[in-house]
Amino acid sequence: MHNHGLGSWMSKRRLKSPDKVALVFDGRTVTYGRLADDTDRLSALLWSRGIRKGDAVAYMGENSPEFIQTMFACAQLGAVFVPVNTRLAPPEVSHVLADSGARLLIHDLEFAARVANGVEAGRIAHVLLTGDGAPGIPGLDTLLSEASRGHADAAVTLDDPAAIIYTSGTTGRAKGAVLTHGNLTWVALNCIVDYDVVSTDTALMISPLFHVASLGMGALPVLLKGATMVLEKGFEAGRALALIEEHHVTMLSGVPTTYQLLADHPAWAETDLSSLAKLTCGGSAVPHRILNAYEDRGLHFSQGYGMTETSPGATSLSPDKTRSKQGSAGLAHFFTDVRIADETGAMVSRGTVGEIEISGPNVFRGYHNLHEATAQAFTSDGWFRSGDLGYLDADGYLFISDRLKDMIISGGENIYPAEVENLINDIEGISGVAVIGVPDERWGEVPWAVVTVREDATVTTESVRAKLDGVLARYKLPKNVVVIEDLPRTASGKIRKADLRARFSR
């Protein structure tokens, strides 16, 4: 076997557990043997369309077996998988397709209009449709049934790039984090060790796989271990509760909003949740109300901290520490290290706030075609600079204090204010803008735009949202636009966002 990366996983699973159910999707089951066969056919199909080692293949679609097949087919060829967030607006999609240099795109039919401009402007030579395709255009169901069963393979090492995951940039445009086969393998191993993933687990996947957390810490450890994944296109609380009971789900991951919606659903009290053993939550700390609701049912959370650049897990807080270490993001994952540095780069003592720095085989190598940004992201001795502030307590548990980058996390989605601010600044009548996160009971926090306007100009929430709609993903649109006379600034002219957050978060 020349392939030492993710591309070897399916063939090995076919040998070890061919009849084990790998995926449950839309009322049907897919065994590891069938998943491996379909992956082989897809890799052969991609090869026939000219995809070779190092080529980027983009995928824009909801959760499905085809998503999994495409990822592993790319890995077999040494191609680079580029999952595209289905919530992005057309200009954002175009940027991802162009920046990644994708040579082939696979997408659900419903996203045809959103990818059109990006396909036309980019380097994409082939476009394939998932499922049944469209009138006169065969989809993957037909193409794979006609494809060669030969196993297309390439020499791949753990240091070769496996995926480019786009993360919203602090200066506006999304940056592509290049994750290697080693990065994704080690983050899966971290999860297997720290979350006790076993082959008898059944995981319910209700979060979109284009998110690195769902991919790196959800799908990959489950498939590496040979467990079963119940794959859902989207999240609906009542259906999720029914699936937990029907399939005796043991593992569930999500963000606080996910768990709140489950607990608030009318079927919550009557649903049999006795099979659930492993709940993981990311994005932000779990509120007391949700903790109480789950603990009343005998359920406990693992919480954690990470980012796209760490594939994404950096730390985890085990369920037995949820109360005694309330508010902590936990300890560094088993194969990962975390330290705290001051503004000069020197290490600080326990309990002292500084920048969180991360090291380990799960940490990415850099941003795609952004050498300066990559250099700035690492210390001289190779640790990743998170841009977040925090401290380690006496026991080594990490506590997050603030975000240097002002990132907003709304319902598990990362929103970088600069990206939104750049567009709002171009709206007629607006003379200044600051986008901040304001606490929200359902979403954790939501973006607000605080603006100043020119004389005689009229600016409303509706007018701003209308200008941005179709340009930005809807979750990035400000939920409220507040007009004030002057934005508070430092002596150097920088907007004091902390002052605005304090004023509008009451």
Side-chain angles (χ1 to χ4, degrees), residues 440-459:
D440 181 86
E441 185 174 339
R442 180 173 184 179
W443 301 112
E445 57 183 346
V446 294
W448 280 29
V450 183
V451 303
T452 56
V453 300
R454 297 186 180 94
E455 189 175 351
D456 299 328
T458 300
V459 173

Side-chain angles (χ1 to χ4, degrees), residues 10-161:
M10 286 300 100
S11 60
K12 291 181 177 179
R13 274 281 140 232
R14 179 167 46 203
L15 287 173
K16 292 178 177 291
S17 53
D19 299 322
K20 176 74 181 294
V21 174
L23 306 174
V24 178
F25 177 77
D26 200 22
R28 61 188 174 93
T29 59
V30 180
T31 65
Y32 276 99
R34 174 62 186 272
L35 183 58
D37 289 345
D38 286 345
T39 298
D40 286 352
R41 290 188 178 93
L42 184 49
S43 68
L45 176 63
L46 296 179
W47 179 271
S48 74
R49 301 300 172 99
I51 298 302
R52 300 293 185 265
K53 183 176 181 179
D55 288 338
V57 174
Y59 187 100
M60 187 171 182
E62 305 293 356
N63 288 357
S64 70
E66 290 165 322
F67 187 108
I68 303 293
Q69 293 161 18
T70 303
M71 175 179 63
F72 283 111
C74 288
Q76 287 183 3
L77 298 174
V80 183
F81 182 56
V82 184
V84 184
N85 187 326
T86 61
R87 301 180 68 182
L88 296 182
E92 297 169 307
V93 174
S94 296
H95 169 67
V96 170
L97 297 180
D99 186 74
S100 65
R103 300 292 295 147
L104 185 145
L105 167 67
I106 298 174
H107 69 87
D108 292 352
L109 180 59
E110 65 187 280
F111 302 119
R114 235 184 293 175
V115 304
N117 288 342
V119 169
E120 185 176 339
R123 300 176 60 242
I124 294 172
H126 299 280
V127 177
L128 305 178
L129 294 175
T130 59
D132 296 329
I137 306 175
L140 284 185
D141 284 352
T142 299
L143 294 174
L144 292 183
S145 68
E146 299 172 350
S148 164
R149 297 186 64 179
H151 178 75
D153 206 356
V156 175
T157 73
L158 291 178
D159 291 328
D160 285 325

Side-chain angles (χ1 to χ4, degrees), residues 277-311:
K278 300 155 191 173
L279 304 177
T280 59
C281 186
S284 58
V286 181
H288 287 281
R289 186 172 77 86
I290 300 176
L291 282 176
N292 293 338
Y294 280 77
E295 288 179 354
D296 286 346
R297 299 292 303 271
L299 303 173
H300 305 273
F301 288 95
S302 294
Q303 301 177 63
Y305 163 77
M307 57 207 67
T308 303
E309 292 87 345
T310 59
S311 307

Side-chain angles (χ1 to χ4, degrees), residues 199-214:
S199 61
T200 53
D201 274 324
T202 298
L204 175 58
M205 180 57 64
I206 51 179
S207 301
L209 288 169
F210 57 70
H211 279 315
V212 68
S214 304

Side-chain angles (χ1 to χ4, degrees), residues 97-354:
L97 297 180
D99 186 74
S100 65
R103 300 292 295 147
L104 185 145
L105 167 67
I106 298 174
H107 69 87
D108 292 352
L109 180 59
E110 65 187 280
F111 302 119
R114 235 184 293 175
V115 304
N117 288 342
V119 169
E120 185 176 339
R123 300 176 60 242
I124 294 172
H126 299 280
V127 177
L128 305 178
L129 294 175
T130 59
D132 296 329
I137 306 175
L140 284 185
D141 284 352
T142 299
L143 294 174
L144 292 183
S145 68
E146 299 172 350
S148 164
R149 297 186 64 179
H151 178 75
D153 206 356
V156 175
T157 73
L158 291 178
D159 291 328
D160 285 325
I164 302 176
I165 310 292
Y166 279 80
T167 177
S168 296
T170 57
T171 57
R173 284 233 156 154
K175 296 180 291 188
V178 180
L179 303 183
T180 66
H181 289 262
N183 293 152
L184 294 174
T185 297
W186 283 103
V187 78
L189 291 171
N190 269 339
C191 292
I192 288 172
V193 172
D194 287 332
Y195 299 138
D196 291 328
V197 181
V198 294
S199 61
T200 53
D201 274 324
T202 298
L204 175 58
M205 180 57 64
I206 51 179
S207 301
L209 288 169
F210 57 70
H211 279 315
V212 68
S214 304
L215 185 63
M217 304 183 72
L220 289 181
V222 168
L223 296 172
L224 177 58
K225 196 62 182 177
T228 297
M229 183 161 54
V230 180
L231 201 54
E232 280 286 284
K233 287 184 177 180
F235 170 62
E236 193 283 311
R239 177 169 170 78
L241 289 170
L243 289 170
I244 291 170
E245 183 171 293
E246 177 185 355
H247 295 287
H248 307 290
V249 169
T250 61
M251 294 178 59
L252 183 64
S253 60
V255 296
T257 303
T258 306
Y259 290 109
Q260 178 179 317
L261 291 173
L262 290 172
D264 289 343
H265 194 274
W268 167 258
E270 63 192 41
T271 301
D272 181 2
L273 303 176
S274 59
S275 61
L276 280 178
K278 300 155 191 173
L279 304 177
T280 59
C281 186
S284 58
V286 181
H288 287 281
R289 186 172 77 86
I290 300 176
L291 282 176
N292 293 338
Y294 280 77
E295 288 179 354
D296 286 346
R297 299 292 303 271
L299 303 173
H300 305 273
F301 288 95
S302 294
Q303 301 177 63
Y305 163 77
M307 57 207 67
T308 303
E309 292 87 345
T310 59
S311 307
T315 69
S316 64
L317 182 69
S318 59
D320 62 310
K321 299 295 185 181
T322 298
R323 293 297 185 179
S324 62
K325 294 294 183 180
Q326 182 76 41
S328 171
L331 297 169
H333 275 300
F334 195 86
F335 297 107
T336 305
D337 293 293
V338 171
R339 71 185 188 186
I340 308 295
D342 65 17
E343 62 273 9
T344 70
M347 297 305 100
V348 301
S349 59
R350 294 288 174 93
T352 301
V353 174

